[in-house]
Coordinates of all heavy atoms in Angstrom, one line a residue:
I292 N 24.3 -166.0 -7.4 CA 23.6 -167.1 -8.0 C 23.0 -167.9 -6.8 O 23.8 -168.3 -5.9 CB 24.4 -167.9 -8.9 CG1 24.9 -167.1 -10.1 CG2 23.7 -169.1 -9.3 CD1 25.7 -167.9 -11.1
K293 N 21.8 -168.3 -6.8 CA 21.2 -169.0 -5.8 C 21.5 -170.5 -5.9 O 21.5 -171.0 -7.1 CB 19.6 -168.9 -5.9 CG 18.8 -169.2 -4.7 CD 17.4 -168.9 -4.9 CE 16.7 -169.3 -3.7 NZ 15.2 -169.0 -3.9
P294 N 21.8 -171.2 -4.8 CA 22.1 -172.6 -4.9 C 21.0 -173.4 -5.4 O 19.8 -173.1 -5.1 CB 22.6 -173.0 -3.5 CG 22.1 -172.0 -2.7 CD 21.9 -170.8 -3.5
I295 N 21.2 -174.6 -6.1 CA 20.2 -175.5 -6.5 C 19.5 -176.2 -5.4 O 20.2 -176.7 -4.6 CB 20.7 -176.4 -7.6 CG1 21.3 -175.7 -8.7 CG2 19.6 -177.4 -8.0 CD1 22.0 -176.6 -9.7
P296 N 18.2 -176.1 -5.2 CA 17.5 -176.8 -4.1 C 17.7 -178.3 -4.1 O 18.0 -178.9 -5.2 CB 16.0 -176.5 -4.3 CG 15.9 -175.4 -5.3 CD 17.2 -175.5 -6.1
K297 N 17.7 -178.9 -2.9 CA 17.9 -180.3 -2.8 C 17.1 -181.2 -3.7 O 17.4 -182.1 -4.3 CB 17.8 -180.9 -1.3 CG 19.0 -180.6 -0.5 CD 18.9 -181.3 0.8 CE 17.9 -180.6 1.7 NZ 17.8 -181.2 3.1
Y298 N 15.7 -180.8 -3.7 CA 14.8 -181.6 -4.5 C 15.0 -181.5 -6.0 O 14.6 -182.4 -6.7 CB 13.4 -181.2 -4.2 CG 13.0 -179.8 -4.7 CD1 12.3 -179.8 -6.0 CD2 13.1 -178.7 -3.9 CE1 11.9 -178.4 -6.4 CE2 12.7 -177.5 -4.4 CZ 12.1 -177.3 -5.6 OH 11.7 -176.1 -6.0
L299 N 15.8 -180.5 -6.5 CA 16.2 -180.5 -7.9 C 17.5 -181.1 -8.1 O 17.7 -181.5 -9.2 CB 16.2 -179.1 -8.4 CG 14.8 -178.4 -8.5 CD1 15.0 -176.9 -9.0 CD2 13.8 -179.2 -9.4
Q300 N 18.4 -181.3 -7.1 CA 19.7 -181.9 -7.3 C 19.5 -183.3 -7.5 O 20.2 -184.0 -8.4 CB 20.5 -181.6 -6.1 CG 20.9 -180.2 -5.9 CD 21.7 -180.0 -4.6 OE1 22.0 -181.0 -3.8 NE2 22.0 -178.8 -4.2
D301 N 18.5 -183.9 -6.9 CA 18.3 -185.4 -7.0 C 16.8 -185.6 -7.2 O 16.1 -186.1 -6.3 CB 18.8 -186.1 -5.8 CG 18.8 -187.6 -5.9 OD1 18.3 -188.1 -7.1 OD2 19.2 -188.3 -5.0
N302 N 16.3 -185.3 -8.3 CA 14.9 -185.3 -8.6 C 14.3 -186.8 -8.5 O 13.1 -187.0 -8.3 CB 14.4 -184.6 -9.7 CG 14.8 -185.0 -11.0 OD1 15.7 -185.9 -11.1 ND2 14.2 -184.7 -12.2
K303 N 15.1 -187.8 -8.9 CA 14.7 -189.1 -8.8 C 14.3 -189.5 -7.4 O 13.3 -190.1 -7.1 CB 15.7 -190.1 -9.3 CG 15.7 -190.1 -10.9 CD 16.8 -191.1 -11.3 CE 16.9 -191.0 -12.9 NZ 17.8 -192.0 -13.4
K304 N 15.2 -189.1 -6.5 CA 15.0 -189.3 -5.0 C 13.7 -188.5 -4.6 O 12.8 -189.1 -3.8 CB 16.1 -188.9 -4.2 CG 15.8 -189.3 -2.7 CD 17.1 -189.0 -1.9 CE 16.9 -189.3 -0.4 NZ 17.9 -189.0 0.4
A305 N 13.6 -187.3 -5.0 CA 12.4 -186.5 -4.6 C 11.1 -187.2 -5.1 O 10.1 -187.3 -4.4 CB 12.6 -185.1 -5.2
L306 N 11.1 -187.7 -6.3 CA 9.9 -188.4 -6.8 C 9.6 -189.7 -6.1 O 8.4 -190.0 -5.8 CB 10.0 -188.7 -8.4 CG 10.1 -187.4 -9.1 CD1 10.3 -187.8 -10.6 CD2 8.7 -186.6 -9.1
K307 N 10.6 -190.4 -5.7 CA 10.4 -191.7 -4.8 C 9.9 -191.2 -3.5 O 9.1 -191.9 -2.9 CB 11.8 -192.4 -4.6 CG 12.3 -193.1 -5.9 CD 13.5 -193.9 -5.6 CE 14.0 -194.6 -6.8 NZ 15.2 -195.5 -6.6
A308 N 10.4 -190.1 -3.0 CA 9.9 -189.7 -1.6 C 8.5 -189.3 -1.7 O 7.8 -189.6 -0.7 CB 10.8 -188.4 -1.2
I309 N 8.1 -188.5 -2.6 CA 6.7 -188.1 -2.7 C 5.8 -189.2 -3.0 O 4.6 -189.4 -2.4 CB 6.4 -186.9 -3.6 CG1 5.1 -186.3 -3.1 CG2 6.4 -187.3 -5.0 CD1 5.0 -184.9 -3.7
S310 N 6.2 -190.2 -3.8 CA 5.4 -191.4 -4.1 C 5.3 -192.3 -2.8 O 4.1 -192.7 -2.5 CB 6.0 -192.3 -5.2 OG 6.1 -191.6 -6.4
W311 N 6.4 -192.5 -2.1 CA 6.4 -193.3 -0.9 C 5.4 -192.5 0.1 O 4.6 -193.2 0.8 CB 7.7 -193.3 -0.2 CG 7.8 -193.9 1.2 CD1 7.7 -195.2 1.4 CD2 7.6 -193.2 2.4 NE1 7.7 -195.4 2.8 CE2 7.6 -194.1 3.4 CE3 7.6 -191.8 2.6 CZ2 7.5 -193.8 4.6 CZ3 7.5 -191.5 4.0 CH2 7.4 -192.4 5.0
A312 N 5.4 -191.2 0.2 CA 4.6 -190.5 1.1 C 3.1 -190.7 0.8 O 2.3 -190.9 1.7 CB 5.0 -188.9 1.1
F313 N 2.7 -190.6 -0.4 CA 1.4 -190.8 -0.8 C 0.8 -192.1 -0.5 O -0.2 -192.4 -0.1 CB 1.1 -190.3 -2.3 CG 1.2 -188.9 -2.6 CD1 1.3 -188.4 -3.9 CD2 1.1 -188.0 -1.5 CE1 1.4 -187.1 -4.2 CE2 1.2 -186.7 -1.8 CZ 1.4 -186.2 -3.2
R314 N 1.7 -193.1 -0.8 CA 1.4 -194.5 -0.6 C 1.2 -194.8 1.0 O 0.4 -195.7 1.3 CB 2.4 -195.5 -1.1 CG 2.4 -195.7 -2.6 CD 3.2 -196.9 -3.0 NE 4.6 -197.0 -2.4 CZ 5.6 -196.4 -2.9 NH1 5.6 -195.7 -4.0 NH2 6.8 -196.6 -2.2
N315 N 1.9 -194.1 1.8 CA 1.8 -194.2 3.2 C 1.0 -193.2 3.9 O 1.0 -193.0 5.1 CB 3.3 -194.3 3.8 CG 4.0 -195.5 3.4 OD1 3.8 -196.5 4.0 ND2 4.7 -195.5 2.3
D316 N 0.1 -192.5 3.1 CA -0.9 -191.6 3.7 C -0.3 -190.4 4.4 O -0.7 -190.0 5.4 CB -1.9 -192.4 4.6 CG -3.2 -191.7 4.7 OD1 -3.6 -190.8 3.9 OD2 -3.9 -191.9 5.8
L317 N 0.8 -189.9 3.9 CA 1.5 -188.8 4.4 C 1.2 -187.6 3.4 O 1.6 -187.8 2.2 CB 3.0 -189.1 4.6 CG 3.8 -187.8 5.1 CD1 3.5 -187.4 6.5 CD2 5.3 -188.2 5.0
R318 N 0.8 -186.5 3.9 CA 0.6 -185.4 3.1 C 1.1 -184.1 3.7 O 1.0 -183.9 4.9 CB -1.1 -185.1 2.9 CG -1.8 -186.2 2.4 CD -1.6 -186.5 1.0 NE -2.4 -187.5 0.4 CZ -2.2 -188.8 0.4 NH1 -1.0 -189.2 0.8 NH2 -3.0 -189.7 -0.1
V319 N 1.8 -183.3 2.9 CA 2.3 -182.0 3.3 C 1.9 -181.0 2.4 O 2.0 -181.0 1.1 CB 3.9 -182.1 3.3 CG1 4.5 -180.8 3.8 CG2 4.4 -183.3 4.1
Y320 N 1.2 -179.9 2.9 CA 0.8 -178.8 2.1 C 0.7 -177.5 2.8 O 0.7 -177.4 4.1 CB -0.6 -179.1 1.7 CG -1.5 -179.5 2.8 CD1 -2.5 -178.5 3.3 CD2 -1.8 -180.8 3.2 CE1 -3.3 -178.7 4.3 CE2 -2.7 -181.0 4.2 CZ -3.5 -180.0 4.8 OH -4.4 -180.3 5.8
P321 N 0.7 -176.4 2.1 CA 0.7 -175.1 2.7 C -0.7 -174.6 3.0 O -1.7 -175.0 2.3 CB 1.4 -174.2 1.6 CG 1.0 -174.8 0.3 CD 1.0 -176.3 0.6
T322 N -0.9 -173.8 4.0 CA -2.2 -173.1 4.3 C -1.8 -171.7 4.5 O -0.8 -171.3 5.1 CB -2.8 -173.6 5.6 OG1 -2.0 -173.4 6.7 CG2 -3.3 -175.1 5.4
P323 N -2.6 -170.7 3.8 CA -2.3 -169.3 3.9 C -2.5 -168.7 5.3 O -3.4 -169.1 6.0 CB -3.3 -168.7 2.9 CG -4.3 -169.7 2.7 CD -3.7 -171.1 3.0
N324 N -1.7 -167.7 5.5 CA -1.7 -166.9 6.8 C -1.3 -165.5 6.3 O -0.1 -165.2 6.5 CB -0.8 -167.5 7.8 CG -0.9 -166.8 9.1 OD1 -2.0 -166.2 9.5 ND2 0.2 -166.6 9.8
G325 N -2.3 -164.8 5.9 CA -1.9 -163.4 5.4 C -1.1 -163.6 4.1 O -1.5 -164.2 3.2
N326 N 0.1 -162.9 4.1 CA 1.0 -163.0 3.0 C 2.0 -164.2 3.0 O 2.9 -164.4 2.1 CB 1.8 -161.7 2.8 CG 0.9 -160.6 2.4 OD1 -0.1 -160.8 1.7 ND2 1.3 -159.4 2.8
E327 N 1.9 -164.9 4.0 CA 2.8 -166.1 4.3 C 2.1 -167.4 4.4 O 0.8 -167.3 4.4 CB 3.7 -165.9 5.5 CG 4.5 -164.7 5.3 CD 5.6 -164.5 6.4 OE1 5.4 -164.8 7.5 OE2 6.8 -164.1 6.0
Y328 N 2.7 -168.5 4.7 CA 2.1 -169.8 4.7 C 2.5 -170.6 5.9 O 3.8 -170.5 6.2 CB 2.4 -170.6 3.5 CG 1.8 -170.0 2.2 CD1 2.6 -169.0 1.6 CD2 0.6 -170.2 1.7 CE1 2.1 -168.4 0.4 CE2 0.2 -169.7 0.6 CZ 1.0 -168.7 -0.1 OH 0.4 -168.1 -1.2
H329 N 1.7 -171.3 6.5 CA 2.0 -172.4 7.5 C 2.1 -173.7 6.6 O 1.5 -173.8 5.6 CB 0.9 -172.6 8.5 CG 0.9 -171.5 9.6 ND1 1.7 -171.4 10.7 CD2 0.1 -170.5 9.7 CE1 1.5 -170.3 11.4 NE2 0.4 -169.7 10.8
I330 N 2.7 -174.7 7.3 CA 2.8 -175.9 6.6 C 2.1 -177.0 7.5 O 2.2 -177.0 8.7 CB 4.3 -176.4 6.4 CG1 5.0 -175.6 5.4 CG2 4.3 -177.9 6.1 CD1 6.5 -175.9 5.2
V331 N 1.2 -177.7 6.9 CA 0.4 -178.8 7.6 C 1.0 -180.1 7.1 O 1.2 -180.4 5.9 CB -1.0 -178.7 7.2 CG1 -1.9 -179.8 7.9 CG2 -1.6 -177.3 7.7
I332 N 1.3 -181.0 8.1 CA 1.7 -182.4 7.9 C 0.5 -183.3 8.3 O 0.3 -183.2 9.5 CB 3.0 -182.7 8.5 CG1 4.1 -181.7 8.1 CG2 3.4 -184.1 8.3 CD1 5.3 -181.8 8.9
E333 N 0.0 -184.1 7.4 CA -1.0 -185.0 7.9 C -0.5 -186.4 7.6 O 0.1 -186.7 6.6 CB -2.3 -184.9 7.0 CG -3.1 -183.7 7.3 CD -4.4 -183.8 6.4 OE1 -4.7 -184.7 5.7 OE2 -5.0 -182.7 6.5
S334 N -0.7 -187.3 8.7 CA -0.3 -188.7 8.5 C -1.5 -189.4 9.2 O -1.7 -189.4 10.4 CB 1.0 -189.0 9.3 OG 1.3 -190.4 9.2
G335 N -2.2 -190.2 8.2 CA -3.5 -190.8 8.7 C -4.4 -189.7 9.3 O -4.7 -188.8 8.6
L336 N -4.8 -189.9 10.6 CA -5.7 -189.0 11.2 C -5.0 -187.9 12.0 O -5.7 -187.0 12.5 CB -6.7 -189.7 12.1 CG -7.6 -190.8 11.5 CD1 -8.3 -191.5 12.5 CD2 -8.5 -190.1 10.4
K337 N -3.7 -187.9 12.0 CA -2.9 -187.0 12.8 C -2.6 -185.8 11.9 O -2.3 -185.9 10.7 CB -1.6 -187.5 13.3 CG -1.7 -188.5 14.3 CD -0.3 -189.0 14.7 CE -0.5 -190.1 15.8 NZ 0.8 -190.6 16.1
R338 N -2.7 -184.6 12.4 CA -2.5 -183.3 11.7 C -1.6 -182.4 12.6 O -2.0 -182.1 13.6 CB -3.8 -182.7 11.3 CG -3.6 -181.4 10.4 CD -4.9 -180.8 10.1 NE -5.6 -181.7 9.3 CZ -6.9 -181.4 8.8 NH1 -7.4 -180.2 9.2 NH2 -7.5 -182.2 8.1
I339 N -0.5 -181.9 11.9 CA 0.4 -181.0 12.7 C 0.5 -179.7 11.8 O 0.7 -179.8 10.6 CB 1.8 -181.6 12.9 CG1 1.7 -182.9 13.6 CG2 2.7 -180.7 13.6 CD1 3.0 -183.7 13.7
K340 N 0.3 -178.6 12.4 CA 0.5 -177.3 11.7 C 1.7 -176.6 12.3 O 1.9 -176.5 13.5 CB -0.7 -176.4 12.0 CG -0.7 -175.1 11.3 CD -2.0 -174.3 11.5 CE -1.9 -173.1 10.9 NZ -3.2 -172.3 11.2
S341 N 2.6 -176.2 11.4 CA 3.9 -175.6 11.8 C 3.6 -174.4 12.5 O 2.7 -173.5 12.1 CB 4.8 -175.3 10.6 OG 4.2 -174.3 9.7
P342 N 4.4 -174.1 13.5 CA 4.3 -172.8 14.2 C 4.9 -171.6 13.4 O 4.5 -170.5 13.5 CB 5.0 -173.0 15.5 CG 6.0 -174.1 15.3 CD 5.3 -175.0 14.3
N343 N 5.8 -172.0 12.5 CA 6.5 -171.0 11.6 C 5.7 -170.7 10.4 O 4.9 -171.5 9.9 CB 7.9 -171.6 11.3 CG 8.7 -171.9 12.4 OD1 8.6 -171.3 13.5 ND2 9.6 -172.8 12.2
T344 N 6.0 -169.5 9.9 CA 5.4 -169.3 8.6 C 6.4 -169.0 7.6 O 7.6 -168.8 8.0 CB 4.6 -167.9 8.7 OG1 5.4 -166.8 9.1 CG2 3.3 -168.0 9.6
Y345 N 6.1 -169.3 6.3 CA 7.1 -169.2 5.2 C 6.6 -168.2 4.2 O 5.4 -168.2 3.8 CB 7.4 -170.6 4.7 CG 7.9 -171.5 5.8 CD1 6.9 -172.2 6.5 CD2 9.2 -171.6 6.1 CE1 7.4 -173.1 7.5 CE2 9.6 -172.5 7.1 CZ 8.7 -173.2 7.7 OH 9.2 -174.1 8.8
K346 N 7.6 -167.6 3.5 CA 7.2 -166.8 2.4 C 6.9 -167.6 1.1 O 7.4 -168.7 1.0 CB 8.4 -165.7 2.0 CG 8.7 -164.8 3.2 CD 9.8 -163.9 2.9 CE 10.0 -163.0 4.2 NZ 11.1 -162.2 4.1
K347 N 6.2 -167.0 0.2 CA 5.9 -167.6 -1.1 C 7.1 -168.2 -1.8 O 7.0 -169.3 -2.3 CB 5.0 -166.7 -2.0 CG 4.7 -167.2 -3.3 CD 4.0 -166.2 -4.1 CE 3.6 -166.7 -5.4 NZ 2.9 -165.6 -6.2
E348 N 8.2 -167.5 -1.7 CA 9.4 -167.9 -2.4 C 10.2 -169.1 -1.8 O 10.9 -169.7 -2.5 CB 10.4 -166.7 -2.4 CG 9.9 -165.4 -3.2 CD 9.0 -164.6 -2.4 OE1 9.1 -164.6 -1.1 OE2 8.2 -163.9 -2.9
E349 N 9.8 -169.4 -0.6 CA 10.5 -170.4 0.1 C 9.7 -171.7 0.4 O 10.2 -172.7 0.8 CB 11.2 -170.0 1.4 CG 10.3 -169.4 2.4 CD 10.9 -168.6 3.5 OE1 12.1 -168.6 3.7 OE2 10.2 -168.1 4.4
I350 N 8.3 -171.6 0.2 CA 7.5 -172.7 0.6 C 7.6 -173.9 -0.2 O 7.6 -175.1 0.4 CB 6.0 -172.2 0.5 CG1 5.0 -173.1 1.2 CG2 5.4 -172.0 -0.9 CD1 5.2 -173.2 2.7
T351 N 7.8 -173.9 -1.5 CA 8.1 -175.1 -2.3 C 9.3 -175.9 -1.8 O 9.1 -177.1 -1.7 CB 8.2 -174.7 -3.8 OG1 7.0 -174.1 -4.2 CG2 8.3 -175.9 -4.6
E352 N 10.3 -175.2 -1.7 CA 11.6 -175.9 -1.2 C 11.3 -176.5 0.2 O 11.8 -177.7 0.5 CB 12.8 -174.9 -1.1 CG 14.0 -175.7 -0.8 CD 15.2 -174.9 -1.0 OE1 15.2 -173.7 -1.5 OE2 16.3 -175.4 -0.6
K353 N 10.6 -175.9 1.1 CA 10.4 -176.4 2.4 C 9.5 -177.6 2.4 O 9.7 -178.6 3.2 CB 9.7 -175.2 3.3 CG 9.7 -175.6 4.8 CD 11.1 -175.8 5.4 CE 11.0 -176.2 6.8 NZ 12.3 -176.7 7.3
L354 N 8.5 -177.6 1.6 CA 7.6 -178.7 1.4 C 8.4 -180.0 1.0 O 8.3 -181.1 1.6 CB 6.5 -178.5 0.5 CG 5.5 -177.4 0.8 CD1 4.5 -177.1 -0.3 CD2 4.7 -177.9 2.1
W355 N 9.3 -179.8 -0.1 CA 10.1 -180.9 -0.5 C 11.1 -181.4 0.5 O 11.3 -182.6 0.7 CB 10.8 -180.5 -1.8 CG 10.0 -180.6 -3.0 CD1 9.4 -179.5 -3.7 CD2 9.5 -181.7 -3.6 NE1 8.6 -180.0 -4.7 CE2 8.7 -181.4 -4.7 CE3 9.7 -183.1 -3.5 CZ2 8.1 -182.3 -5.6 CZ3 9.1 -184.1 -4.3 CH2 8.3 -183.6 -5.3
D356 N 11.7 -180.4 1.3 CA 12.6 -180.8 2.4 C 11.8 -181.7 3.4 O 12.5 -182.7 3.9 CB 13.0 -179.6 3.2 CG 14.1 -178.8 2.5 OD1 14.6 -179.3 1.4 OD2 14.4 -177.7 2.8
I357 N 10.7 -181.4 3.6 CA 9.9 -182.3 4.6 C 9.6 -183.6 4.1 O 9.8 -184.7 4.8 CB 8.5 -181.6 5.0 CG1 8.9 -180.3 5.9 CG2 7.6 -182.5 5.8 CD1 7.6 -179.4 6.1
Y358 N 9.2 -183.7 2.8 CA 9.0 -185.0 2.1 C 10.3 -185.8 2.2 O 10.4 -187.0 2.5 CB 8.4 -184.9 0.7 CG 7.0 -184.7 0.6 CD1 6.5 -183.5 0.0 CD2 6.1 -185.6 1.1 CE1 5.1 -183.3 -0.2 CE2 4.7 -185.4 0.9 CZ 4.2 -184.3 0.4 OH 2.9 -184.1 0.2
L359 N 11.4 -185.2 1.8 CA 12.7 -185.9 1.8 C 13.1 -186.3 3.3 O 13.7 -187.4 3.4 CB 13.7 -185.1 1.2 CG 13.6 -184.8 -0.3 CD1 14.5 -183.7 -0.9 CD2 13.9 -186.1 -1.1
H360 N 12.8 -185.5 4.1 CA 13.1 -185.9 5.6 C 12.4 -187.0 6.0 O 13.0 -188.0 6.5 CB 12.8 -184.6 6.5 CG 12.8 -185.0 8.0 ND1 14.0 -185.1 8.7 CD2 11.8 -185.3 8.8 CE1 13.7 -185.5 9.9 NE2 12.4 -185.6 10.0
Y361 N 11.1 -187.2 5.8 CA 10.4 -188.4 6.2 C 10.8 -189.7 5.4 O 10.9 -190.7 5.9 CB 8.8 -188.1 6.0 CG 8.2 -187.4 7.1 CD1 8.1 -186.1 7.2 CD2 7.8 -188.1 8.3 CE1 7.5 -185.4 8.3 CE2 7.3 -187.4 9.4 CZ 7.2 -186.1 9.3 OH 6.6 -185.4 10.4
Y362 N 11.1 -189.4 4.0 CA 11.6 -190.6 3.3 C 12.9 -191.0 3.9 O 13.2 -192.2 4.0 CB 11.7 -190.1 1.9 CG 12.0 -191.3 0.9 CD1 11.2 -192.4 0.8 CD2 13.2 -191.2 0.2 CE1 11.5 -193.4 -0.1 CE2 13.4 -192.2 -0.7 CZ 12.7 -193.3 -0.9 OH 13.0 -194.3 -1.7
D363 N 13.8 -190.1 4.2 CA 15.2 -190.5 4.6 C 15.0 -191.3 6.0 O 15.7 -192.2 6.3 CB 16.0 -189.3 4.9 CG 16.6 -188.8 3.6 OD1 16.6 -189.5 2.5 OD2 17.0 -187.6 3.5
K364 N 14.1 -190.8 6.8 CA 13.8 -191.4 8.1 C 13.4 -192.9 7.8 O 13.8 -193.8 8.5 CB 12.8 -190.7 8.9 CG 13.3 -189.6 9.8 CD 12.3 -188.8 10.6 CE 11.6 -189.8 11.5 NZ 10.6 -189.0 12.4
H365 N 12.5 -193.0 6.8 CA 12.0 -194.4 6.4 C 13.2 -195.3 6.0 O 13.2 -196.5 6.4 CB 10.9 -194.3 5.4 CG 10.6 -195.5 4.6 ND1 10.0 -196.5 5.2 CD2 10.9 -196.0 3.4 CE1 9.9 -197.5 4.3 NE2 10.5 -197.2 3.2
L366 N 14.0 -194.8 5.2 CA 15.1 -195.5 4.6 C 16.0 -195.9 5.8 O 16.6 -197.0 5.8 CB 16.0 -194.7 3.6 CG 15.2 -194.4 2.3 CD1 16.1 -193.6 1.4 CD2 14.8 -195.7 1.7
E367 N 16.3 -195.1 6.7 CA 17.1 -195.4 7.9 C 16.5 -196.6 8.7 O 17.2 -197.5 9.1 CB 17.3 -194.2 8.8 CG 18.3 -193.1 8.3 CD 18.3 -192.0 9.2 OE1 17.9 -192.0 10.4 OE2 18.8 -190.9 8.7
K368 N 15.2 -196.6 8.8 CA 14.5 -197.5 9.6 C 14.6 -198.9 8.9 O 14.8 -199.9 9.6 CB 13.1 -197.1 9.8 CG 12.2 -198.0 10.7 CD 10.9 -197.4 10.8 CE 10.0 -198.2 11.8 NZ 8.7 -197.6 11.9
V369 N 14.2 -199.0 7.6 CA 14.2 -200.2 6.9 C 15.5 -200.7 6.2 O 15.7 -201.9 5.9 CB 13.0 -200.2 5.8 CG1 11.6 -200.1 6.5 CG2 13.2 -199.3 4.8
G370 N 16.3 -199.7 5.9 CA 17.6 -200.0 5.4 C 17.6 -200.3 3.9 O 18.7 -200.7 3.4
Y371 N 16.6 -200.0 3.2 CA 16.5 -200.0 1.7 C 15.5 -199.1 1.1 O 14.6 -198.7 1.9 CB 16.3 -201.5 1.3 CG 15.0 -202.0 1.7 CD1 13.8 -201.9 0.8 CD2 14.8 -202.7 2.9 CE1 12.6 -202.4 1.3 CE2 13.6 -203.1 3.3 CZ 12.5 -203.0 2.5 OH 11.2 -203.4 2.9
E372 N 15.7 -198.8 -0.2 CA 14.7 -198.0 -0.8 C 13.5 -198.8 -1.1 O 13.6 -199.9 -1.5 CB 15.3 -197.3 -2.1 CG 16.3 -196.3 -1.8 CD 16.5 -195.5 -3.0 OE1 15.8 -195.2 -3.8 OE2 17.7 -195.1 -3.2
S373 N 12.3 -198.2 -1.1 CA 11.0 -198.9 -1.4 C 10.3 -198.0 -2.4 O 10.4 -196.8 -2.5 CB 10.2 -199.0 -0.2 OG 9.9 -197.9 0.5

């Protein structure tokens, strides 16, 4: 049995994370590369493309991991949920 992904374990936090990201002009999305995908992270005018590629089965979880990572960094910085 496959473990439950982090974004499904605490979906309230995941929804807060993605809402925070959108309000703060942070976007994370896949771009195709053959049968796999790169991840692009946009923040304002900055754009970063991952050097790694991900399979279709793992891309959704990776995108949520990134949103949660940035949200957690924000929480550490300000000390409270927004």
Side-chain angles (χ1 to χ4, degrees):
I292 297 176
K293 196 173 177 181
I295 298 172
K297 279 192 289 184
Y298 69 94
L299 290 178
Q300 291 173 8
D301 186 358
N302 67 346
K303 285 183 182 181
K304 182 178 181 183
L306 292 175
K307 285 182 181 182
I309 200 163
S310 294
W311 172 86
F313 289 166
R314 284 193 315 269
N315 288 278
D316 204 21
L317 177 69
R318 306 284 185 271
V319 182
Y320 55 90
T322 58
N324 181 36
N326 292 331
E327 297 189 325
Y328 298 87
H329 285 282
I330 293 177
V331 176
I332 302 170
E333 286 185 6
S334 180
L336 298 175
K337 293 181 184 178
R338 181 181 295 177
I339 301 169
K340 183 177 176 182
S341 68
N343 301 334
T344 57
Y345 301 91
K346 295 178 182 173
K347 181 180 176 182
E348 299 80 26
E349 59 190 359
I350 194 71
T351 301
E352 185 170 355
K353 190 63 182 169
L354 294 172
W355 280 106
D356 285 347
I357 293 169
Y358 278 121
L359 289 167
H360 169 77
Y361 277 94
Y362 185 62
D363 286 341
K364 277 180 59 176
H365 163 71
L366 292 179
E367 287 175 14
K368 186 177 177 182
V369 298
Y371 62 90
E372 287 194 35
S373 57

